[in-house]
Amino acid sequence: MRRAAQLFETSGYGEVFTRRWVVEMVLDLAGYTADHDLGATVALEPACGGGAFLVPMVERLALSCRAHSRTLSEVREAVRAFDLLERNVTLSRKAVAAVLVASGMVQDDADNLAGGWVTQGDFLDPGLVVPGASWVLGNPPYVRLEDIDDERLPVYRSSWPTMRGRADLFVGFIERGLRTLVDGGVLGFIVADRWLHNQYGSELRKMIADRYAVEALVQVHEADAFEVPVSAYPAVTVIRRRRQGKPVVARAVAGFEDKAAVDLVNWSRGRGRARKTSSYEAVRLNGWFPGDELWPMGDPATLALVKDLEDRFPPLEDPTTGTRVGIGVATGAERAYITDAEDLVEADRLLPLAMGEHTTTGALSWGTSPRWLVNPWDNGRLVDLASYPRLAAHFERHRGMMEGRHVAKKCPDRWYRTIDKVDPVLDRRPKLLFPDLKASIHPVLDPGGDTGLYPHHNLYWVTSSGWDIEVLGGLLLSEIANTFVGTYCVKMAGGCYRFQAQYLRRIRVRTGYIVTSKRRPSSAREGFPRARCRTGIGPGAQRLWDTGATPHSRRTGRFTQSYSSVTLPSLVHSCGWSETLE
């Protein structure tokens, strides 16, 4: 512990002190209030610092003792606080003792009780004895794992398996805090919210979805939540050990302070579905999002829409509609496998290849800059190079580069294979192609057949045996489809979305209105005009997307605005929620 403490002592890493009104909001949302018999429970503060959380906790405990006819000397087990730094332990003990004295204790007794409550210790040290708790409350340190010394890091990772990848230290604090909770217990932290959306948080998300309930999530990115400015994407996060209920999701904007925080807490204790004020907006969802997959991010109104549609409709990739989502072929050696020379090898070993550059206009423009895949596959099997002397000679010229790939090292006798197998029928199937990086969703039609193309690795594709592919393309041009991708993907520089398969699969579609080419009304094709330009949804396609939760303009069938700018009242009205918004 001494070496770990020295790291923090000398670097100052992780210490971000929370404003008093933020602490009060966290305690209120977690239910650590004086009307409860707090003396009969245990509350933990895992990284107490100078006492920003601990002092209000002890104040509330003292009021609770008075209300429930207890003396402070009776509640020696009601609080446990830890900190790695000796100076923080000293500060917190003094601050807690001052509260106890103000509540009627003599100084010696107050010092003794504070000394028992606040101890020096590493909360992530598996050897630290931590009691079961009804509350785990605080602001855990903000430290990247690469800033932890080599001796401590393996201990942390082996003890708290959710600390994977490039996770921050607070992920371990959340895990241990949750494991400490008794049935019905609550964790209330203010902590960065990146773990909700990044890959390193997957194990923690799965743990929470399997055993706990998200009760409240309040984004305070724009609020002045800390004593010094911090770029940490903070969110008040409240998780309870019980089955999932209906969580509150809120977003604070600039100007959100103590009075607004009280208003939000009071609203959260009621049954209202949505609320919007000048400093925050909030909704109550019907449930939370499942599993270890990425949890969506965005304003509360958008999350409410996404959750509503996820509850009611199946995902885009669905065996009942024969709809599949995938990525194009990866080769690992582009110079060997991609060519613009149509006579490079035997004609049947060249497969017309669609690349991102062919989709920039909204329609396939392959003829202006044709590319071919040098294809070593035939119906799922590698061809015999002895039967294709020109192909064999071409691969031999690039053999050194090809054999250096991981896939070739694993199977040296199959050194000329591409990383991915080539699907023998994908090029001939009608499909929608999606460039990886775009500012908005951008499906491009490949009609397949004799002129069909095989997608390259920088394109994602959608095929379907149940949908007419042009009607489906019309739906996927919509702002609703764009919203699904936008809430799940991590935005890149310049605001671009990544339209990868994992995000496309999150899109929900209304399969009760599947349209095949045999019974397609002509109006349905309005959704995917020949120019493939993204101009909204035509009336035919709008009816397929009319879920009852989509803002629209007097049944004209055209979306009036991007959903990111849809007002909360319009969402509430279109979803049938009747509460008046203030």
Side-chain angles (χ1 to χ4, degrees):
M1 183 180 74
R2 180 173 296 175
R3 288 192 60 183
Q6 287 173 346
L7 167 71
F8 289 90
E9 194 78 68
T10 56
S11 67
Y13 289 150
E15 294 189 282
V16 180
F17 299 113
T18 316
R19 293 191 182 277
R20 175 65 182 246
W21 65 265
V22 178
V23 175
E24 301 284 4
M25 178 174 63
V26 175
L27 300 183
D28 286 341
L29 289 172
Y32 193 79
T33 54
D35 55 311
H36 291 97
D37 187 5
L38 301 180
T41 65
V42 176
L44 291 182
E45 218 291 29
C48 61
F53 272 81
L54 196 54
V55 166
M57 289 166 63
V58 173
E59 290 174 350
R60 293 182 180 212
L61 174 61
L63 291 174
S64 175
C65 285
R66 234 177 262 131
H68 293 86
S69 302
R70 293 180 181 273
T71 65
L72 286 168
S73 59
E74 295 176 36
V75 294
R76 294 185 176 276
E77 306 301 321
V79 174
R80 289 296 308 276
F82 304 97
D83 201 278
L84 203 57
L85 304 183
E86 184 177 358
R87 60 178 168 83
N88 285 345
V89 171
T90 300
L91 287 172
S92 287
R93 284 175 175 171
K94 288 181 178 179
V96 167
V99 174
L100 295 175
V101 169
S103 300
M105 255 193 172
V106 299
Q107 187 68 57
D108 287 346
D109 290 344
D111 290 340
N112 182 53
L113 187 54
W117 280 349
V118 185
T119 57
Q120 186 176 9
D122 179 358
F123 188 68
L124 297 186
D125 181 351
L128 183 70
V129 177
V130 178
S134 295
W135 282 278
V136 179
L137 306 163
N139 174 16
Y142 293 65
V143 182
R144 301 290 293 180
L145 290 192
E146 53 262 35
D147 294 322
I148 303 300
D149 69 84
D150 294 339
E151 182 179 327
R152 301 301 303 174
L153 184 56
V155 176
Y156 290 164
R157 285 193 183 276
S158 62
S159 302
W160 315 113
T162 63
M163 294 178 64
R164 55 175 296 181
R166 294 176 57 82
D168 286 271
L169 193 66
F170 67 75
V171 170
F173 275 76
I174 296 175
E175 178 181 349
R176 183 162 201 186
L178 291 174
R179 294 187 186 278
T180 300
L181 294 176
V182 299
D183 288 342
V186 183
L187 178 143
F189 280 172
I190 180 167
V191 67
D193 64 6
R194 299 296 89 181
W195 66 275
L196 300 169
H197 324 298
N198 288 337
Q199 188 60 39
Y200 71 69
S202 62
E203 290 299 321
L204 182 57
R205 292 192 296 269
K206 184 177 187 303
M207 175 183 169
I208 293 169
D210 288 347
R211 310 177 209 171
Y212 301 88
V214 175
E215 286 208 338
L217 190 68
V218 183
Q219 290 184 357
V220 288
H221 298 182
E222 300 176 38
D224 191 13
F226 302 112
E227 296 294 344
V228 295
V230 176
S231 298
Y233 303 102
V236 173
T237 305
V238 179
I239 304 169
R240 187 181 294 270
R241 185 172 177 177
R242 73 168 187 188
R243 295 183 63 181
Q244 181 64 55
K246 296 183 177 182
V248 167
V249 177
R251 182 180 67 172
V253 298
F256 182 82
E257 294 181 347
D258 52 350
K259 291 182 180 179
V262 171
D263 184 77
L264 172 59
V265 169
N266 289 338
W267 175 82
S268 73
R269 291 170 175 167
R271 300 170 64 93
R273 296 297 303 272
R275 180 165 175 76
K276 183 178 176 68
T277 72
S278 60
S279 59
Y280 76 86
E281 57 181 320
V283 296
R284 195 182 311 274
L285 302 182
N286 289 326
W288 194 245
F289 302 92
D292 60 348
E293 298 180 357
L294 302 181
W295 287 346
M297 59 182 172
D299 61 85
T302 299
L303 293 182
L305 173 69
V306 168
K307 179 59 179 170
D308 179 63
L309 295 179
E310 286 190 350
D311 287 345
R312 293 194 289 142
F313 301 115
L316 173 63
E317 184 170 76
D318 185 358
T320 63
T321 65
T323 305
R324 296 174 57 212
V325 180
I327 187 172
V329 61
T331 68
E334 305 285 74
R335 284 190 296 158
Y337 289 104
I338 298 176
T339 182
D340 59 0
E342 59 181 318
D343 60 350
L344 179 69
V345 296
E346 290 82 0
D348 64 336
R349 292 299 93 216
L350 291 174
L351 187 62
L353 186 69
M355 303 185 71
E357 65 191 73
H358 299 133
T359 66
T360 55
T361 64
L364 277 179
S365 56
W366 186 80
T368 59
S369 56
R371 297 287 188 277
W372 286 268
L373 176 72
V374 181
N375 182 16
W377 301 94
D378 187 15
N379 289 319
R381 296 185 177 184
L382 285 173
V383 299
D384 182 357
L385 292 181
S387 301
Y388 292 93
R390 294 173 62 194
L391 177 68
H394 170 72
F395 282 162
E396 194 63 37
R397 287 193 294 272
H398 297 280
R399 184 163 185 159
M401 175 177 57
M402 296 168 71
E403 287 185 330
R405 300 170 302 153
H406 177 70
V407 67
K409 291 177 179 178
K410 285 176 58 179
C411 300
D413 59 330
R414 297 162 63 86
W415 61 270
Y416 57 97
R417 64 160 294 164
T418 51
I419 293 175
D420 302 318
K421 278 189 176 183
V422 170
D423 184 330
V425 298
L426 181 58
D427 61 318
R428 301 185 61 83
R429 295 199 66 182
K431 54 191 165 293
L432 302 171
L433 302 177
F434 297 82
D436 184 359
L437 287 171
K438 277 288 179 181
S440 57
I441 197 164
H442 187 72
V444 174
L445 176 67
D446 175 2
D450 292 339
T451 61
L453 305 176
Y454 202 92
H456 178 258
H457 193 66
N458 61 11
L459 293 173
Y460 295 84
W461 52 263
V462 173
T463 62
S464 183
S465 58
W467 283 96
D468 176 281
I469 204 69
E470 292 194 48
V471 173
L472 186 57
L475 296 183
L476 297 181
L477 276 168
S478 73
E479 294 296 346
I480 293 293
N482 203 60
T483 294
F484 268 97
V485 174
T487 57
Y488 279 102
C489 80
V490 177
K491 282 190 177 180
M492 307 301 288
C496 286
Y497 292 160
R498 301 210 68 177
F499 290 90
Q500 297 176 330
Q502 61 180 321
Y503 307 131
L504 294 171
R505 292 186 180 108
R506 306 300 309 211
I507 298 172
R508 277 356 192 218
V509 291
R510 192 171 186 175
T511 56
Y513 288 89
I514 291 177
V515 178
T516 64
S517 57
K518 293 182 180 179
R519 58 187 183 91
R520 174 181 60 204
S522 60
S523 62
R525 302 192 69 168
E526 296 178 26
F528 204 34
R530 287 293 182 186
R532 314 290 179 239
C533 59
R534 194 168 177 273
T535 57
I537 295 184
Q542 165 63 19
R543 285 193 291 275
L544 304 181
W545 259 117
D546 186 9
T547 65
T550 305
H552 52 79
S553 175
R554 290 179 299 188
R555 293 291 181 185
T556 62
R558 290 196 179 274
F559 283 90
T560 59
Q561 55 192 321
S562 165
Y563 200 81
S564 63
S565 62
V566 170
T567 62
L568 195 62
S570 68
L571 171 69
V572 172
H573 175 73
S574 61
C575 287
W577 299 343
S578 59
E579 181 179 16
T580 300
L581 303 180
E582 299 176 5

